């Protein structure tokens, strides 16, 4: 069973949703061509057990695939990527994270980032 969740702030949603939603932490505004850190993690700690864990996280810029991190039941589902912002001429872009729980499917989170 797959779930897609549209929570936009860590304050919203149930505890179950916060354990599965891949929240994105990064600057709200970046400069063109600037490298910046993007951290992806759940709002609440997700179980890390043999029978229930986060399998992977993927990061996209709009629909462009950027990176993926795979996890086992022995790893905390948190990852940091260094991403390059688009060049001049863009006003903003959307970062999109997907996270897959082995029991509860794929969850999604989006964050709009402005370019100054």
């Amino acid at each position: 069973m797959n779930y897609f969740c549209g929570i936009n702030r860590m304050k919203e949603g149930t505890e179950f949703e916060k354990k599965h939603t891949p929240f994105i932490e990064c600057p709200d505004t970046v400069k063109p061509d600037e490298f910046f850190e993007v951290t992806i993690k759940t709002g609440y700690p997700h179980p890390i057990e043999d029978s229930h864990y986060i399998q992977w996280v993927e990061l996209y810029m709009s629909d462009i695939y950027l990176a993926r991190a795979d996890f086992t039941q022995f790893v905390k589902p948190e990852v940091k990527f260094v991403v390059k912002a688009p060049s001049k001429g863009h006003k903003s872009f959307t970062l999109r994270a997907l996270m897959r729980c082995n029991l509860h499917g794929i969850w999604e989170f989006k964050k709009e980032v402005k370019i100054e």
Side-chain angles (χ1 to χ4, degrees):
M1 183 185 295
N2 286 335
Y3 293 91
F4 287 90
C5 193
I7 298 172
N8 289 321
R9 289 182 282 294
M10 285 183 153
K11 296 176 190 172
E12 297 176 7
T14 66
E15 185 176 326
F16 176 80
E17 290 169 332
K18 291 178 186 180
K19 286 180 182 180
H20 292 89
T21 302
F23 293 103
I24 297 172
E25 294 178 356
C26 71
D28 293 330
T29 305
V30 296
K31 296 181 183 341
D33 296 314
E34 176 183 17
F35 285 93
F36 62 98
E37 290 186 352
V38 176
T39 301
I40 303 171
K41 60 184 178 181
T42 57
Y44 281 13
H46 186 278
I48 304 174
E49 303 165 353
D50 287 343
S51 62
H52 188 196
Y53 62 96
I54 297 296
Q55 294 178 302
W56 50 259
V57 171
E58 290 182 341
L59 179 63
Y60 294 80
M61 186 177 295
S62 297
D63 291 329
I64 300 168
Y65 171 81
L66 298 179
R68 178 179 170 129
D70 290 296
F71 306 108
T72 67
Q73 68 272 32
F74 304 107
V75 178
K76 182 178 179 182
E78 182 174 327
V79 64
K80 188 177 290 188
F81 297 113
V82 178
V83 175
K84 184 178 179 184
S87 58
K88 288 183 180 180
H90 294 87
K91 294 182 180 182
S92 67
F93 58 94
T94 301
L95 290 176
R96 189 167 61 99
L98 298 177
M99 179 177 277
R100 186 174 197 292
C101 170
N102 71 315
L103 294 181
H104 302 110
I106 299 173
W107 293 70
E108 179 180 44
F109 182 82
K110 295 179 182 179
K111 180 175 180 179
E112 189 76 17
V113 180
K114 294 180 183 177
I115 299 177
E116 58 180 30

